[in-house]
Amino acid sequence: MDHDAASRLRRPRQPPQTQQQSLVWQAGVSESSLTPSPAESGTIYASSTGVHNGNGNSNGAGTSYRRRRRSTLVDVEDSIAVRGDGYSNGAGDVKHARSASAEDGDSDGASPTTAEHQRKKQKRNKPTLSCFECVGRKTKCDRGRPHCLACIKRQTKCEYAHVANVLEETTRSAANERRMTKGPKKKGDALKPTIPNAADRGFNVNRLKALGSVSTSTGLLSNVPYSAPGSSNVFGIGSEHPFANYWTCDGGLPEVISVLPEKVQSDILLTRYFECVDPVYPMLHRQTFYADYEHFWSLSRPEKDQADGAFVALIFVMLALGTQFVTSTSPRERKQTAEFYASASNQALRVSSYLSIASIRSIQAMVLITYFLINDNHASDGWAFGGVLMRQAYAMGLHRDPNIVVPDASPFEKQQRRKVWQAVLLQDTFLTVLLSLPPSATHTDVSVDDLKQDDASIATDDPTDTDYIKSSWTLANLVQETICSPRSLDVPICTTVRQKSKLVQDFRTVYRTFPTAFRYWDPQVLTEMAQSNKRVVRQTLFLCSNYFHNLMLVHASESADVPVNVRGTLEAAHDAITAFFILFQLFEAEARVWWVFNHRAFLEALCIGNVLREVARGRRGEYGGGSFVYKG
């Protein structure tokens, strides 16, 4: 044997430069780094004569090199796949590299079991998304916020890693930014119900096609408008024009001011407004309004004629709403007087060019006009008028954070802008829930947390009002995206059981944020409270009615994989309709006026009947569509 042959035998065989080694060099791994440390190699360690596996057997230097190189390649492949820093040529390259690595190891006689053990020993590059408690107990975590279902059942503290919270917020923000643009695909199964919510399936199932969604006509029992010549009533109520024309062409604002009632009568109607309407929609700052109101009455007639038309419109619509709750006159007289004042309010806005000139007062007047129209059985007109209101609110920048658009404004002005935007958003959200139409107040960066009580400024309000506004605002934000948008396109609210459980938990979390005064609404407690604090009682009933009505819609939702929760639907509907009966018991005259409250109660009763009817049919085998689950 010559010297060159002996030298070749003494040197370990150099492997060819395959794609594996190319990947190693591209990732910046040197030859020296291919030797694992004792901490990394487990029971396999390197020596000068070979690799020992703990039982005294040595596999030789060549096999040691290949195992070390193969183990390092696994690390490199993982880093290429996870890091995405430009070294990876795509999934195909990584897959090819792993395949080549496996072939190399098998050809050299490496044990598959040992290779698998080495592969499992690699560290995870993916962050843990489950909560600490579930990770420690090794239990399944649904990763719900703020508490997962497992921690709720165990009554344990639920905390997540910072990275997990960041990823969750990013995913949720991306989901919230998406808007649905097409409805669900209708399958040819005639036995399945076309409405994906048991609460929307009314008794007139033959009239499912409507202008907005199939549940619109069911809830309002309206005549369906088709694309045919002629006109049709959208919602089937209040067919006449809501604002009677009492005005001349040249009268202007002085003509409107001339029909103002005497100040004594105006004071009575405004008192009724602040007693019945303001607790439910606390949008106006009473002290500043009355200061402007008294100043207006102190002006001479020529000076009044030059007053702000938007403020005159605000006074008239408040008089109209106050008239609706007066009990000393006949219903017919109340209706005629209230509609006259509403017409005067609309005329004052018109002569002040409210479509091209917007202000806080004009927006406030338009919000109250919309509520008046709804209470006066003009839901179609109220919906259309609310669309103009939304455009004006956007044009004024009320949907933007006041610290951004009016940074130099006083705290009071910023507070008023937030309260007015909340009133616009709340009206839009819960009107779209009742009508199953798309929400409009969807683009905003105004935070509910910025609405804080400032005792040092003129913006000081009743602390209960601030809590009520924030609670209604938080609920509206949740309802708008999770319920309004899907129902407007007849899309299931929840498509998976996990999504439904998480949404129910989100609603319960919102309910837990309500102040204690708004959560304890036992009939006996509210009856006693009504003797001393009727304002809080009204707010409690309206807030709870909104909450339980929407929770009912969530429980009643169904899809191919999600059944209707019968017990949850019936309990939520019962709680919601109970709020109406308590309102009727304590404030009967007011309960007859609130169209929104009455209509919700009607839909809740309809939902209870639908669910019980379909469950009974399902038990008899007569109902071919839908699925139900009864949780005891």
Side-chain angles (χ1 to χ4, degrees), residues 288-307:
T288 55
F289 170 79
Y290 268 115
D292 295 336
Y293 174 75
E294 293 295 338
H295 175 70
F296 173 81
W297 279 105
S298 67
L299 298 175
S300 63
R301 179 55 194 273
E303 291 175 329
K304 288 180 182 177
D305 294 342
Q306 302 298 322

Side-chain angles (χ1 to χ4, degrees), residues 280-283 418-419 422-423 426 448 451 461 463-475 518 539:
V280 181
Y281 305 110
M283 175 181 55
R418 296 187 185 101
K419 289 173 63 176
Q422 184 271 347
L426 185 70
V448 62
L451 189 69
D461 289 314
T464 305
D465 287 353
T466 303
D467 293 337
Y468 173 75
I469 293 174
K470 295 179 69 172
S471 299
S472 302
W473 196 344
T474 304
L475 179 61
F518 299 142
Q539 292 174 346

